Amino acid sequence: MADKVRIAVVGCGQRGPGHALMIQQSDTLELAAVCDIDEERACRLGEELKVDAVFDLQGILERDDITAVSIASHTPHHAGIALDVARAGKHFLCEKPFADSIDSGREVVTAAEEAGVVAIVGFQNRFAPISLRLKELSQQIDIVQVTVTQHRGFFNPQYFYAEHYGGIMDGLSHDMDLALWWAGMTPKRVAGHQRRGAFKPLKNTIEFVNILAECENGDETRMVNMSGSMASIGMSNVYQLVGKRGCASSTNKNHIQYAFHEGFAEDKKPINSETHQEELDWQGRDFQLAMWNHFGQCVLEKKTDVAPAASLREGLVQVAVSQAGAESAETGRIVELDL
């Protein structure tokens, strides 16, 4: 087995250099090349990192010495690139969201599964200690409801566009993925409310959003509440899990409090309740690097079950809920999903 997976970064703009930095620090990956249709940008990053600069995707896909691809282009191009990469038999890690629509996402899922390649969506927050701990707790408390928020300031101008993944949805997508992952059940219905252009009317970008996803498995139902805005000044965001056997919450990602119980007595008091608090270490680069190391290890082991990373099918769930939330907000109707 090779010591490291040789990988190329496609897209040398905003996200590509960050991908390359993580790859160069990885224990399982080796940066082989960077690629961008903007030749000046590709050459600049290639020279900085001392790797080959390539100017078209085919030039990457034809190289036998490159096993995997990091996709860091703009979101509308993710699915098309991922399709070509999968059909070329190369493994890939794609920036979120990995597709701009449910239909394009399904195409990528089918192509990757038919090719048997390892594929991960870049939801690195899954590897943060608090995310992993809340996943454990979600499985212990007989979960019923998840609530997440992402209130922050304005994004840079390039994120102000009208598509369902624009504006605050770019940041909220991470929290949506976590909430749906913790819920552990397929969403069937989605209701959304959005406010566009409150601050920049000409952009028609989602600046405020509330999405409710109802998940079902047989007779069991779980609710996922997701809220975000681009008007925050020093607000604390929350993660909240509520179940039949306990609950858990956090507002700063370094601290978590949770409780276990055995239901409620007639006087409304919890039965055999016990409460806990834990301090966790939130180090951004550490958990990002953990995702990249994990991807490389999955490729080395030819392991297409990429848990705890986000698989393409899990990434498709996030895309579907985002798209359905926008549709629901526009039509005023609940959107049914068939995933």
Side-chain angles (χ1 to χ4, degrees), residues 267-325:
D267 62 1
K268 303 179 183 179
K269 292 181 180 179
I271 301 169
N272 296 330
S273 176
E274 55 182 73
T275 60
H276 305 268
Q277 296 191 46
E278 290 182 14
E279 297 297 325
L280 301 165
D281 186 18
W282 174 273
Q283 295 292 336
R285 289 191 179 276
D286 289 350
F287 67 78
Q288 290 183 57
L289 187 56
M291 178 187 69
W292 287 100
N293 283 334
H294 178 74
F295 171 64
Q297 196 62 43
C298 286
V299 173
L300 290 170
E301 297 177 2
K302 297 182 173 60
K303 182 181 177 184
T304 54
D305 178 359
V306 297
S311 68
L312 290 183
R313 288 193 173 272
E314 290 172 313
L316 181 62
V317 171
Q318 187 275 317
V319 171
V321 171
S322 176
Q323 183 176 326

Side-chain angles (χ1 to χ4, degrees), residues 213-285:
E214 185 178 2
C215 306
E216 283 184 0
N217 184 9
D219 295 331
E220 190 175 1
T221 301
R222 295 174 183 173
M223 307 301 294
V224 182
N225 305 301
M226 297 155 280
S227 175
S229 74
M230 284 198 291
S232 169
I233 302 175
M235 289 178 64
S236 296
N237 286 297
V238 301
Y239 295 153
Q240 294 178 328
L241 282 61
V242 182
K244 298 177 186 177
R245 301 290 178 179
C247 55
S249 66
S250 175
T251 58
N252 66 11
K253 300 180 181 178
N254 287 312
H255 177 82
I256 183 172
Q257 56 190 33
Y258 57 95
F260 297 128
H261 58 75
E262 298 176 10
F264 293 87
E266 291 298 324
D267 62 1
K268 303 179 183 179
K269 292 181 180 179
I271 301 169
N272 296 330
S273 176
E274 55 182 73
T275 60
H276 305 268
Q277 296 191 46
E278 290 182 14
E279 297 297 325
L280 301 165
D281 186 18
W282 174 273
Q283 295 292 336
R285 289 191 179 276

Side-chain angles (χ1 to χ4, degrees), residues 11-13 35-45 53-56:
C12 299
C35 176
D36 200 295
I37 58 174
D38 184 325
E39 295 186 12
E40 181 180 350
R41 191 159 57 189
C43 287
R44 185 167 58 246
L45 185 59
V54 180
F55 311 130
D56 66 278

Side-chain angles (χ1 to χ4, degrees), residues 64-76:
D64 294 333
D65 66 322
I66 292 176
T67 303
V69 174
S70 154
I71 302 173
S73 61
H74 294 302
T75 297

